[in-house]
Amino acid sequence: MPKYRTTTEPLPVPTPVTQPFWDGTREHRLLLQRCDAGHVFFYPRSHCPRCLSNRLEWVEASGRGTLYSYTIARRPTSPDFEQDVPFVIAVVELEEGPRMTSRLVEVEPGEVRIGMRLEVVFDDVTDAVTLPYFRPAGT
Amino acid sequence: MRGLRGEAAIVGIAEFAPVRRPDRTWMGLEAYAELARLALEDAGLGHDDVDGLMTGHLADSGGLFAPGHLTEYLGIGSHFSEVVDLGGATGAGAVLRAAMAIELGLCETALCIVHTLPRPKNPTGGGPTFRMGAWGSPMGEFDYPFGAVGQNYAYAMIANRYAYEYGLTDAQRAKVAVDQRTNATANPKAVFRDPIDIDDVLNSPVIVDPLHMLEIVMPCFGGAAVVVTSKEKAKRARHRPAYIVGGGEYTTHLSVTYDPSFTETPIRAAADRAFAMAGVKRSEVDLASLYDCYTITVLLTLEDAGFCGKGEAGKFVEEHDLTYRGDFPMNTHGGQLSFGQAGMAGGMSHITEAYLQLTGRAGDRQLRRCDTVFVHGNGGLMSEQVSLVLRGE
Ligand SMILES: [Zn+2]
């Protein structure tokens, strides 16, 4: 059952290439990919977006980052999120460099500030899918 | 710099007035045909002149084989066809591709047509669907599950980041919507024509912080077409030709999360190329026709297209009158915020307005002098960028 959202749709549908990332979140680990030239990136891909290397490995992220930007959705962005408003959509800059889209939880919308330090928190939405959200660091 | 030599010109346009509730339906092919007919009539050219075709997608064919269907339906032979897929920049991208093809001699007269209109209901059910976020789409997998759906959230995040880095007030953003509405009061085709002031914008509901309802485009239905032809044929067009003297394009991402910078946008790369190619200075521009899906988009375009310095857009719009009577005429048709955003045709409205102004046919909102226009198209989540410089001669 989801802790931070009211519906279980929409959910990611992993592909063979992205499956390890979602296996990771299910174990409450945030995984990134790194190519043989050392480029670390997100979202999961078959090739490195900086050099197109296909020699990639999974590395565990610290789960820490800062808020690059955000918005407070006052109206649902799609019917699936009707019960969730207002909620905070965020772009998080991970400590390792890559950005990711997520939602901020355990924070009042009025308290959100760009640049604030964040940590990942995992929401077991279904048996199969765990979503990585973020909350203020040290919450 | 190599590039366009300015030897292809816009010579005709057509535009359906945007409507929120259409009184009829169209198959995609039917709308392409009607827009083609009207635009050629405006140009003073005929069916047999057409030998190039740039269009948006064709829903009738499930998105495939648009040039084949269209040449057959319109009865034309096309030497250069392209389905342009640049979101809101599709209109500008289509005109840029037409100019390229004509200068290279691949074709001589190209129709650029885009529309978003309701199709008749299929009596047997079903029908073609376009769906973003399908399986295998990174956006569907890594954005949508977090509620990051649609466009509003993305531009709101850009606005928040911009305000964080440079400072920007709600009232500064609102000024864009207010001046554009003043322009719309002089455009009978605009969807929204009642004057508004800054308070009206700020008192409209916040949809996604910090953007208010009146800072966000209203989806409408409509369509538009532009005829581009060679210098030789342009000489016998009905109206003054508008030569495409500069063009630039740049795309780096789709999801806003992966936009390299929210504040140093890809607009700059497109606009700089267009101005350099044209050999035109910013100060020579008589009309800025800038894509305005949101107020914040306009502010960033003013900066990154070089009309003011970085971080100065808020002050710029406060200090300038952006109306057709003003010292910096911008989006004289009302912009899409007031004119209405008819899907892909919304972006084309910045080109049709440019041509009306360049040919002295903009009615009550006609600029006293209009020889040089800068057009910018923006697609997706600040993703696809196309700039054009047009010169009336
Ligand atoms: Zn690499």
Side-chain angles (χ1 to χ4, degrees), chain A residues 35-39 41 48-53 56:
Chain A
C35 76
D36 54 353
H39 304 135
F41 59 91
C48 170
R50 282 180 61 190
C51 70
L52 287 184
S53 168
L56 311 176

Side-chain angles (χ1 to χ4, degrees), chain A residues 25-43:
Chain A
T25 59
R26 217 164 45 186
E27 296 166 8
H28 292 199
R29 299 164 68 217
L30 190 67
L31 299 183
L32 303 173
Q33 283 170 295
R34 184 169 61 201
C35 76
D36 54 353
H39 304 135
V40 178
F41 59 91
F42 182 82
Y43 47 85

Side-chain angles (χ1 to χ4, degrees), chain B residues 193-215:
Chain B
R193 292 193 298 269
D194 294 331
I196 54 171
D197 61 21
I198 302 251
D199 285 341
D200 291 327
V201 178
L202 301 187
N203 291 330
S204 68
V206 172
I207 305 297
V208 279
D209 278 43
L211 301 178
H212 302 77
M213 187 177 278
L214 291 179
E215 300 183 70

Side-chain angles (χ1 to χ4, degrees), chain B residues 251-333:
Chain B
T251 305
T252 61
H253 65 277
L254 178 58
S255 165
V256 75
T257 299
Y258 308 104
D259 184 346
S261 164
F262 282 19
T263 52
E264 297 279 347
T265 73
I267 294 167
R268 185 180 300 281
D272 280 352
R273 293 172 79 85
F275 275 113
M277 193 182 290
V280 163
K281 293 199 277 289
R282 271 68 169 180
S283 57
E284 293 174 77
V285 169
D286 300 312
L287 166 66
S289 207
L290 313 180
Y291 199 89
D292 63 324
C293 42
Y294 302 87
T295 51
I296 185 67
T297 317
V298 174
L299 292 162
L300 281 164
T301 308
L302 286 169
E303 286 183 6
D304 288 353
F307 292 103
C308 62
K310 200 70 222 165
E312 294 171 2
K315 211 165 136 247
F316 182 89
V317 297
E318 273 177 344
E319 288 173 355
H320 291 276
D321 179 348
L322 312 173
T323 71
Y324 61 92
R325 294 181 294 248
D327 58 331
F328 187 85
M330 184 185 86
N331 291 339
T332 44
H333 62 314

Side-chain angles (χ1 to χ4, degrees), chain B residues 51 61 217 242 252 267:
Chain B
D51 63 353
S61 62
V217 279
T252 61
I267 294 167

